[in-house]
Each structure stands twice: as C-alpha cells, then as structure tokens.
Amino acid sequence: MTPTVSKWCLALVLLVAGRCGPTLAQDDFLYGTFPDGFIWGAATAAYQIEGAWNENGKGENIWDFMTHAYDGGISDNSTGDIAADSYNKYLDDVAALKETGVNFYRFSISWSRILPTGRIDQINQDGINYYNNVINALLDNGITPLVTLYHWDLPQPLQEIGGWLNEEVVDIFGDYANLAFSSFGDRVKSWITFNEPWVQSVLGYGYGGNAPRIVGSGQTDYIAAHNQIKSHARAWHIYDDNYRATQNGEIGITLDSGWSEPKTQSAADIEAAERNMQFKLGWFAHPIFSVDGDYPPVMKEYVARHSAEEGFPVSRLPEFGQTWVDYIKGTSDFFGLNHYTSALAEYSVWEGNWTSYDKDQDVSTSADPSWPSSAAPWLKVVPWGFRKLVNWINNEYNGVRLLVTENGYADLGEINDVDRANYYTSYINELMKAINLDGCNIYGYTAWSIIDNFEWAAGYSQKFGLYSVDFNDPARPRSRKYSAQVYAQIIADNGFPAPAEN
Ligand code: GBH
C-alpha cells in the first residue's frame, strides 16, 4: 500500500506545484481544459445588428432619434437604419453561430419593436413574430437563447417623459419585461435585464456621447443609474413571483468593468484603484450582490463629501431607503460580466467648481504605454487584468456564479484577423487560470460579437465580429474570419488541451 500512496502524493505535489507554483509567470500560457459543462456563446444587440428601424410597426428609439438628428454624433455619420440587416438575415447569423459551435446566443430584444410607444397598451405582433422566429431557429439548431431586455435602446416616447430620469419608467419597464416573459419564456430560460447600466448612465446621462446625449456628470448619471437598478429589481421580482415556478429559468444583470491596477504601490494608489472598482462595478453590483445591499460605503462617502464641498445641501448620490435596499438585494441569479480592458489608477484630486462622476472618486486612470492597442483607442490588450478582475468579483461577492457575457477585440475589419484570434486565446486562457488555478465560480464565456455591427458612437469604423459583414453590399453578406476558426477550435476542445507528446 505505502508505495501506491506516496506515488499519488508525489503526483499531487507535482500537479499543485506545476499549476499554482511560482513557476507560472503572469503571462505564461497554461494548457488545460475548462470544467465539464462550461458553456460557450457569442453575442449581439438589437440596435447594432437588426436595421429595419421603422419596418412593420417598429417604433422609434433613442438611437434612431439621435442618429437621425442633424448632428447625429456618430464618428462616420452612420446610423443603424440597416446595420447588418439581421431583421431579414437572422438565419445567416444562426448559420454562423452553428458553424462556430456555440452552446448559446446572447441577443437583445428591441423594446420599440414589440412596444412601439414603449407602453403595454400597444403591442406590435410583427415584433413578437420576429423574435419567435429567431428563438425557434436557434432551438432548431441546438443553440440556447440568452435574451437581454435592455441594451440601451429606450423607446423615444419614454425619453420624452425623461427616460431613466423619470421613476415612472420603472413600472413601464416592468410591463415590458412581463410581456417578454409571457411571450417567449416558454422557450427562453435565461434572461438579462440590463446590459451595462454604467454605460447607459455615464455616457448617456453624464458625458453625453451616447443616446440620449444628456450632459450632467455627477448628477443625472446617478439618477439614471438609480432608476435602472430599481427597474432591474422590478423585472427580477416579476419573473420570480409569476414565471419562475412554471418556466424554470434564470434572470440576471450584465455589468461592465475593466480592471483597475494601482499605478504605483503607494497606499494612496492602491486605495484609489480599489475605490475606482467600487465606483464603476460596485455602484451597480453592491446593491444587488453584496450582503448588505445599497451603494458601496466608499461611494456614498466620497459623493457626499464632494457634494458638501460644492455647496449641495444633500449628496448628489440618491438614496434608496431601506425598503428599496431590501427589494433590490439578491435580485440576480447570476453575475453577467462584460470585460474588455484594464487601466492604471492613481490618487488624484480634480480641482474646479463643477460636478463630475470622475471628480467624485479622486482618481485618474491611464493606460500603460506598453499595452498593445486595438482599433478602439480605449481597448488595450491586457489579458492578465481579466484574471484579476474575476478574482476580485469572486472575493467581493462571495463566490457568485459568474457568466462572461461579452469579451472581444476591435480592428478595422480584416478577414485574416490574427490580432483578434490572439486576443481571444490569451483572454480565454486567463479565464481558465481563474477557474482551474484560483477556483473562481465561472460557468460560461461569450464572445463579442458573432458579426461586425454598428459600434455605437464609432459607427462602422471599428469591427468586433468573428464574421465580417459587407456594409457596402445591400445583401450584407457575411464571411468567416480567421478568429472564428480559432474560437471554434477552443470551443471544440473546451479550452487548450496539451498537444499530444510523441
Ligand atoms: C460593450 O460595451 C457593449 O455592450 C457593446 O454593445 C459594444 O459593442 C461592445 O462593448 C464593444 O464596445 O470611447 O472613451 O468613451 C463595452 C464597454 C464602455 C467600452 C464605453 C467603450 C467607450 C469609451 N464600453 N467605452 S470612450
């Protein structure tokens, strides 16, 4: 017996040393596979792909309105009027997904397509039919639908009553969610309420680069976020109360976050990086995923102090009150994470008598000049930041079940997209380290995006697709890129098995 036992012990020691030991440097590639049952997907969003902006009863939304304005605010003056024409060509998208071998497809419903005014009293049956067709085509091809209710495309009539600044929209969103659950929930078992409420709040209602282009950083962004968090909780409770028992699905939220690395090892920079994480991710995650609920204490403290210094009678950060804190806490069955890049964070006091979300943090962020860039200036390639981020989330929110709902790379549209393929390989490898070496509770990964699409304020100037779309051809043909082959191989292998020794 003894020799057998020691042989196993030795094997175990070697295994542990080889995997966790100091021999694995930060950027070293790790061979291995993901746990059995790990799920793989690819994503899109309605406004970015569908086109058909006013066809068959669809109403106008805030992106239609913004891009049609005299100064539409899009870098190449484009719109999503036609985009990839997925309203007509969704079967091509399903074929691409099938060829890639994904388990699931994450797409969003255009609120205005099924409720042209945003409100429940006028249902557009053609819109319902369209999503039924998409869902049924996916299921026929063995692909599970993962549906986002809100990916930034608020119906314009709701903007006219203030959009996310108006608390009435909380119940109106609840009605929309209810319609989606009752129409599609017999087949859709995974729901995401909001995609990246940070972006909707900070860019849409703070700095104003995204629709609805409201400028009021440090004020209106906080209010827009507040009402989106309440709306999320409202939809979760509607599902939990009325659908969960019969439909047996799950419902969560998708939050975006980069990783904030301290610029130096000074205590001030280490604290600044942590504070930056709490202001970005904690702002939305703490109310929903923490034990106590509510906004992060450090965020409440900093916004209150800055508000007082600026002469505001009360903090610019709204308060939930205990009833809402309790109503919001615990309202996500999984943690959806969108991640692309990292930043260096340092302590920095912003002088001046104006309000801003960034100023409230006493932090400045920058990119390390050694980090490779992409065609999107904000997107630097920092694979190790992904591993640190998911570890931070795992620690902060008690091993929460995490699904990566977006990750991807921008270029100018090459078919032989080696940089994108390398990005996917290195980022997915870091994710595997977080699971296999660090024990993070992560059950799936989603590539952004299956096809090239309308990249918001960057229009069609930046491409994220695994498949290219020819936007100059009315037929919008799709072609497979090199990265799609690489991603398909990772999926087929469930990771990166060591090459056979011979
Ligand atoms: C995601 O946002 C979106 O969910 C998706 O729709 C989008 O296509 C994809 O990423 C790729 O961008 O130009 O300096 O103002 C990711 C988070 C936050 C990244 C806003 C771009 C703009 C930075 N995004 N950020 S800046």
Side-chain angles (χ1 to χ4, degrees), residues 130-454:
Y130 170 66
Y131 294 109
N132 276 331
N133 292 341
V134 173
I135 291 163
N136 294 342
L138 290 168
L139 293 173
D140 286 347
N141 285 280
I143 300 166
T144 301
L146 166 59
V147 176
T148 307
L149 292 172
Y150 186 75
H151 202 123
W152 310 348
D153 48 355
L154 192 77
Q156 182 62 24
L158 299 180
Q159 195 60 51
E160 274 145 31
I161 61 163
W164 295 114
L165 301 179
N166 184 343
E167 195 175 346
E168 274 178 50
V169 176
V170 175
D171 284 338
I172 300 173
F173 179 77
D175 291 342
Y176 160 56
N178 194 42
L179 174 65
F181 303 148
S182 65
S183 303
F184 310 121
D186 57 330
R187 288 150 295 149
V188 173
K189 303 300 171 188
S190 294
W191 297 95
I192 291 167
T193 54
F194 283 78
N195 177 73
E196 302 188 350
W198 184 95
V199 171
Q200 177 65 103
S201 304
V202 172
L203 302 185
Y205 288 81
Y207 294 122
N210 279 8
R213 294 181 98 176
I214 290 171
V215 177
S217 188
Q219 304 191 45
T220 36
D221 42 7
Y222 291 141
I223 298 167
H226 203 66
N227 287 324
Q228 286 175 81
I229 294 167
K230 288 182 171 181
S231 301
H232 156 78
R234 181 99 189 88
W236 187 90
H237 281 287
I238 289 170
Y239 191 82
D240 200 51
D241 291 346
N242 305 321
Y243 295 98
R244 189 189 295 282
T246 49
Q247 296 186 350
N248 295 307
E250 55 179 5
I251 175 163
I253 190 167
T254 279
L255 306 178
D256 62 302
S257 187
W259 168 247
S260 298
E261 179 76 4
K263 186 165 181 183
T264 75
Q265 286 307 304
S266 73
D269 285 357
I270 291 171
E271 278 172 29
E274 172 66 19
R275 199 161 57 243
N276 189 229
M277 290 301 303
Q278 294 293 352
F279 261 83
K280 283 186 310 191
L281 189 51
W283 181 6
F284 300 91
H286 202 276
I288 297 169
F289 295 99
S290 76
V291 176
D292 297 335
D294 204 351
Y295 293 123
V298 71
M299 184 173 186
K300 292 201 280 189
E301 177 195 331
Y302 272 64
V303 181
R305 180 168 57 75
H306 279 276
S307 301
E309 284 166 9
E310 291 152 0
F312 286 83
V314 293
S315 177
R316 289 177 274 98
L317 188 68
E319 279 180 24
F320 285 119
Q322 196 58 44
T323 306
W324 273 104
V325 166
D326 293 339
Y327 186 76
I328 293 163
K329 200 170 42 176
T331 56
S332 196
D333 303 330
F334 57 89
F335 191 118
L337 173 70
N338 291 354
H339 173 74
Y340 290 86
T341 195
S342 293
L344 301 176
E346 64 189 303
Y347 172 67
S348 153
V349 175
W350 302 40
E351 301 295 341
N353 196 26
W354 78 95
T355 69
S356 112
Y357 160 76
D358 283 292
K359 187 186 174 203
D360 280 338
Q361 305 180 35
D362 293 355
V363 176
S364 286
T365 58
S366 57
D368 187 317
S370 75
W371 295 342
S373 197
S374 72
W378 56 270
L379 201 172
K380 311 295 181 195
V381 182
V382 195
W384 54 263
F386 195 12
R387 180 179 177 186
K388 289 199 179 191
L389 173 65
V390 293
N391 270 279
W392 188 91
I393 295 169
N394 195 66
N395 294 332
E396 186 75 12
Y397 307 113
N398 302 310
V400 64
R401 264 180 87 229
L402 189 142
L403 175 66
V404 177
T405 44
E406 283 181 30
N407 175 238
Y409 177 82
D411 67 9
L412 300 175
E414 301 88 73
I415 292 287
N416 189 26
D417 56 343
V418 177
D419 291 339
R420 174 172 294 104
N422 290 341
Y423 178 100
Y424 277 125
T425 300
S426 60
Y427 270 69
I428 293 170
N429 200 247
E430 291 298 319
L431 189 71
M432 192 180 76
K433 292 178 189 173
I435 299 169
N436 293 355
L437 305 186
D438 309 334
C440 293
N441 185 8
I442 303 165
Y443 67 97
Y445 173 88
T446 314
W448 179 274
S449 170
I450 189 66
I451 53 170
D452 287 344
N453 57 56
F454 178 80

